[in-house]
Amino acid sequence: MFYIFISCDENYAPHLATTVVSILDNCPSPKALHFIIGDGGLSDLTIDRLNQMIESFGSSISYTYLDEEKFKGLEVKRYGLSIYFRLYLDEVIDPEIDEILCIDCDTVVVSDITKITQHIHNDNYIIAAVENIGRSPYKSLGLQRGDYFNCGLMLINMKQWRENNIGKKALTFLLQHPELCLYPEQSALNKVLKGEWLKLPITWNAQRPAYKIIEKRMNEQMRPRHEFEESIQAPKMIHYMGKNSKPWDKYSLHPLKELYEFYRRKTPWAREVNNEKASVLKKIKHYTSIQKLYIFHKRRKMSKGLLAQHKI
């Protein structure tokens, strides 16, 4: 069984469903998948919808919860409390589970998710992930450039996680040094791991900064150009992180936002795609920024093969 953990609250339920259906749609053996949902306040209707959707593929699903006391002293910020479920994995995950994939719900998966294990050659790793290829607070955490991973996708060796008490150590650091944790649980986990994590190909967490890197920042990179190009043209997972990137925002400038819409139409929330209202300020910025629109369409062409595969 391949276990996948995603935490979410009611506000992100449609995006959670989109991530899940993209995983199911691209897995040749969905019966081998079991989804564990960290329930940060999902409604009964949402749970019913998720259950029906996942079970229609032959996959299974379960839910896990945390007492409100667990969140004491933690800031909500813009991410919601559900992100902190990961720091309690040793409590909310069955102790018999040895390996689990954690994934954010602002992602879509466009390949067989189970193939990620092909990059694991021994059981000495704790976390396998992809570095944050854009700006990151690695210096303030005392890390070297390239050592800071993005936790939008993490394959976790739960045996090593438990033995090294990773979740509790990260939680302690976060509570003691919130000023150093720009991205709460991500920064805390990076501090605890101190660069000791297994690097996956960046196609497993394709990030929007790859476009800018190819356009003007290749001379600063430690990875070769073809890896960034592959993350744009043939990603395994697309992560809609960063400013103006959320694809459910009508005025998002992410070149691959249509892939999100493609998969969301396969969910019970299909009719609600892009119904979110944009502020007047966003509309003005969108229509007056000709340069940004030009860049958007230029970058979209860089991924035309991927879009064509989805008939977009």
Side-chain angles (χ1 to χ4, degrees), residues 2-6 15-35 37 53-54 57 59 101-105 107-115 152-153 204 236-237 263 266-267:
F2 189 89
Y3 295 96
I4 301 170
F5 180 81
I6 314 177
H15 318 315
L16 164 68
T18 303
T19 297
V20 169
V21 83
S22 72
I23 292 171
L24 292 167
D25 210 39
N26 289 289
C27 181
S29 304
K31 289 182 180 180
L33 303 179
H34 181 82
F35 294 88
I37 308 299
M53 183 185 77
I54 290 172
F57 282 85
S59 299
L101 182 87
C102 289
I103 190 168
D104 280 356
C105 47
T107 64
V108 295
V109 174
V110 291
S111 64
D112 180 0
I113 195 69
T114 64
K115 297 294 185 184
L153 178 143
W204 282 107
K236 308 292 187 185
M237 182 273 268
Y263 287 106
K266 295 174 179 282
T267 76

Side-chain angles (χ1 to χ4, degrees), residues 248 260-261 264-265 269-276:
W248 50 87
Y260 166 86
E261 295 170 0
R264 182 158 168 180
R265 283 192 287 270
W269 286 265
R271 294 183 181 180
E272 300 167 23
V273 172
N274 268 349
N275 280 349
E276 289 82 350

Side-chain angles (χ1 to χ4, degrees), residues 248-263:
W248 50 87
D249 181 344
K250 186 175 181 180
Y251 297 102
S252 167
L253 292 174
H254 196 291
L256 298 176
K257 66 179 183 178
E258 290 160 297
L259 286 175
Y260 166 86
E261 295 170 0
F262 175 87
Y263 287 106

